[in-house]
Each structure stands twice: as structure tokens, then as C-alpha cells.
Amino acid sequence: MTSYLIYTDDSGDEISSLYTAVLVPMERWSKVLRQWLKFRKWLYGKHQVPADFELHTYQWLQAKGMPVPADESNLVNTSEGLRREIAEKALKQISVLKDHRVRILTCETPGAVKSDAYAALIAALDVELEKEDAWGIIVVDGGKDGVPDPHVKAAHRALKLDTRRVIEDGWLQPAEASQLVQMADLAVHCAYQAVRKKQSRKVMWNWYSQYLHDMELVCTCP
């Protein structure tokens, strides 16, 4: 029987909302984190981006923020092209985590109400965990203000207590404090571009299917 720590984050627009979950087997958690920290170590050694700098995909790909303020001439501060290359390298690092049985699940719902997508994700996770005879604890991006969406609790409480496999309510963890929530952030933004196909992010359109498809619990590739 496997138990998972499940890291989640959201994306979307006025057309649809998405939530992606990254399921990490608890017995592999330290190995998974160490693998991701190898990428962060490379990022620091190559581009001087410290490991505690939050990789927020939306801002990262727009070259917003100053990851290396001590060296304003560092291209990682300003180059969208370089940041895209780094994001793709991060995805390659995520893709190898399938060897540690890390899985991905994405749910999309119509409209801009992200709580609908979260509720759909929790329900889908509960079904998939039952199939595996597994259990899961959800880690939710709480944002900088530390306040989760009030509908998060409602989504968990909507599950049937006698049969539910998602344990407790979502555990709040701001993305800036969690490397693996940042991983989920990158995954969900790839899912968003896969379905919405924004012209300005054409380079990302196939990233989800290319790097994350083999890790999907349920295939949602377009």
C-alpha cells in the first residue's frame, strides 16, 4: 500500500480553470526532493539563481523579477529565451522522476472559478487513489498572504468519509517555501498552454505531452 504527498497548483483564464497534482510516494519523498535540488544546484552554479528564489512560472517566463540582483548584467535577469531554456531543463528533471513513481494528474473545468477545478481534482484523486488502494495528503499553494481559497475545505469535506482516500483537508504551504509546490506550478502552466495554446507561448504547447505524458495517472494530453 502506497501513501502520497500530493502537491497542487492552479492556472487558467476566463475560459477555463486548471489544477495539476504531483503525486510523490512518501517513501520516495527524500529522493524526489534531492533530485529536484540537483537541478536547483545546477541553476545556481550555472546562472547564480539561489535555491530559495521562487520559480513562479508565470513571472519566470516573462522575465519578471530579479533572481540575481547582485549582477544586473546576468542574462537570467532579463532574457525570456534563457528562462525558457531553464524551464525546459526543469521539465526534463521532472520527467525522470517517473523512475521514483511520481505521477501527474490534471483537471480542467469551464470558466474562471478555480475552486471548481480544485473540487474536480480532489474528486478525481480520490477515485484514482482507491484504484491503487493508496492514500494521499494534499499540499495546497497558500500564496504569500497565507490564506487558502475558502472552497478548499469544502472540496475535501464533500468526499464520503467512509470511503475517502484523500486524508484531512488541504495542507497550506506557500509556493515560495516549497520546492515541490513550485514543481506543480510548472506542471500546471504547461497543462494550461497545452489546452489554451497562447500564441506568445507557442514554444510550450507540447511541453506537457512531451515531458509529463508518461507520468499521467489519467491521460489529458490534447
Side-chain angles (χ1 to χ4, degrees):
M1 182 183 296
T2 297
S3 296
Y4 293 95
L5 280 171
I6 304 172
Y7 297 85
T8 67
D9 210 343
D10 66 271
S11 187
D13 55 25
E14 69 284 354
I15 302 298
S16 66
S17 299
L18 297 93
Y19 254 93
T20 292
V22 178
L23 293 84
V24 179
M26 288 188 182
E27 69 272 17
R28 298 295 184 105
W29 180 85
S30 60
K31 292 181 172 61
V32 169
L33 180 58
R34 186 177 297 279
Q35 194 73 26
W36 180 254
L37 290 176
K38 285 181 181 179
F39 160 71
R40 293 306 305 253
K41 183 177 181 179
W42 168 86
L43 185 55
Y44 178 73
K46 183 71 173 180
H47 299 289
Q48 293 74 60
V49 178
D52 61 356
F53 179 83
E54 180 186 352
L55 295 183
H56 186 277
T57 305
Y58 180 77
Q59 294 181 340
W60 178 263
L61 292 174
Q62 294 187 77
K64 292 183 177 180
M66 187 76 70
V68 191
D71 182 7
E72 295 185 5
S73 65
N74 190 323
L75 282 178
V76 79
N77 288 324
T78 58
S79 172
E80 289 190 16
L82 177 57
R83 291 204 188 185
R84 284 195 299 269
E85 291 177 12
I86 292 170
E88 193 165 7
K89 186 173 182 65
L91 281 167
K92 292 176 181 177
Q93 192 71 15
I94 294 173
S95 70
V96 303
L97 295 177
K98 62 179 177 288
D99 295 338
H100 292 295
R101 303 197 306 277
V102 173
R103 311 299 296 278
I104 300 285
L105 182 65
T106 295
C107 286
E108 178 187 16
T109 54
V113 183
K114 290 181 179 177
S115 58
D116 289 347
Y118 184 79
L121 179 72
I122 297 306
L125 282 168
D126 206 50
V127 169
E128 295 304 317
L129 290 170
E130 184 177 15
K131 289 178 182 177
E132 286 193 30
D133 191 22
W135 306 85
I137 296 174
I138 311 295
V139 182
V140 186
D141 177 15
K144 293 183 182 298
D145 57 2
V147 179
D149 187 314
H151 293 89
V152 165
K153 181 180 289 187
H156 287 253
R157 301 296 172 88
L159 301 174
K160 293 181 178 180
L161 182 58
D162 289 343
T163 58
R164 62 183 284 183
R165 295 304 184 103
V166 174
I167 299 171
E168 280 287 359
D169 299 331
W171 287 8
L172 181 65
Q173 181 69 278
E176 63 182 358
S178 172
Q179 295 286 347
L180 300 186
V181 170
Q182 292 174 45
M183 183 189 297
D185 176 73
L186 177 56
V188 76
H189 277 80
C190 291
Y192 171 73
Q193 292 301 334
V195 298
R196 299 294 295 121
K197 291 183 165 51
K198 297 291 186 179
Q199 192 62 38
S200 62
R201 292 286 177 260
K202 188 173 182 178
V203 68
M204 295 179 65
W205 289 1
N206 296 320
W207 282 3
Y208 191 85
S209 60
Q210 181 177 355
Y211 295 110
L212 304 179
H213 169 72
D214 288 346
M215 303 171 72
E216 287 187 284
L217 273 172
V218 179
C219 181
T220 55
C221 296

